[in-house]
Amino acid sequence: MNRQRIYQGLIALTSLLSAVGALAQDDAPMMVKSQSGVEIGTAVDWSMCSPDGVSLGGYDVVSYRDPDGPVMGDSQFSAAHAGRTYWFASDERRLQFLERPDYYLPAYSGFCAITLALGRVTCPEYTNFKLEDDRLYLFEVTGFTNGRVLWNSDSSGFRRQADDNFAELSELR
């Protein structure tokens, strides 16, 4: 292989890596999982994202509002709310949650916000989140697509669509 071909290949690879890096803004996770989810309009297992009975994969829902982001909870500091179990990092956080659960709970019952806007119900990557207008949104990562990055491209439009789809989904419950 001659040097010019190697050089052109390196330029192409650098361009590809730059494009992938641009998609990964905000240090968002990439290439974590892939799942097909359930289409809006079909019956949904509302506990599908908490197969062990613990919501948010065990992350402390209060900690999403901390500057350092979410931390894992501990089963000794658990609370039940609306048929779901949540773990907290301390009893103080558990009490905070019980005083104002609606303030802390994620939008769309913890389903991925972007896939909901796009007409599917999937489980998020629990460390891939955004606080927007004082609401907690969770996002999945599929292949090279980070739901949060896509959401940021038109958050108000995606939010309207996700709100409509969630209302439709809730009617089927």
Side-chain angles (χ1 to χ4, degrees):
M1 197 177 263
N2 66 30
R3 287 184 186 188
Q4 186 170 358
R5 280 194 158 166
I6 292 172
Y7 180 72
Q8 289 171 341
L10 287 174
I11 289 174
L13 180 60
T14 302
S15 297
L16 176 63
L17 291 174
S18 294
V20 169
L23 291 174
Q25 66 186 4
D26 301 326
D27 296 323
M30 291 192 55
M31 295 181 62
V32 174
K33 65 180 177 178
S34 176
Q35 57 185 345
S36 59
V38 178
E39 288 185 34
I40 301 295
T42 6
V44 170
D45 175 1
W46 287 76
S47 65
M48 71 187 233
C49 296
S50 41
D52 296 327
V54 179
S55 291
L56 302 173
Y59 280 90
D60 177 342
V61 69
V62 174
S63 70
Y64 282 90
R65 295 179 179 272
D66 291 345
D68 294 332
V71 297
M72 285 300 293
D74 187 316
S75 62
Q76 70 177 333
F77 306 114
S78 66
H81 176 74
R84 295 186 177 184
T85 301
Y86 296 89
W87 289 358
F88 301 91
S90 68
D91 195 49
E92 178 185 347
R93 287 180 179 271
R94 184 184 70 80
L95 293 172
Q96 280 180 274
F97 172 78
L98 291 173
E99 286 176 14
R100 298 177 63 194
D102 290 335
Y103 174 72
Y104 293 107
L105 290 174
Y108 315 124
S109 289
F111 294 128
C112 171
I114 193 66
T115 55
L116 189 62
L118 298 173
R120 299 193 71 72
V121 180
T122 62
C123 300
E125 178 67 33
Y126 294 112
T127 58
N128 194 25
F129 71 100
K130 179 178 187 176
L131 288 169
E132 183 176 274
D133 297 330
D134 222 17
R135 287 178 78 187
L136 171 62
Y137 295 93
L138 300 170
F139 303 96
E140 80 165 355
V141 177
T142 304
F144 284 103
T145 304
N146 181 313
R148 185 180 69 201
V149 173
L150 183 56
W151 180 271
N152 287 339
S153 70
D154 182 17
S155 63
S156 61
F158 285 127
R159 186 174 44 251
R160 278 191 302 277
Q161 191 59 51
D163 288 347
D164 290 347
N165 286 344
F166 189 70
E168 181 181 336
L169 187 66
S170 297
E171 289 174 8
L172 298 172
R173 193 171 191 182

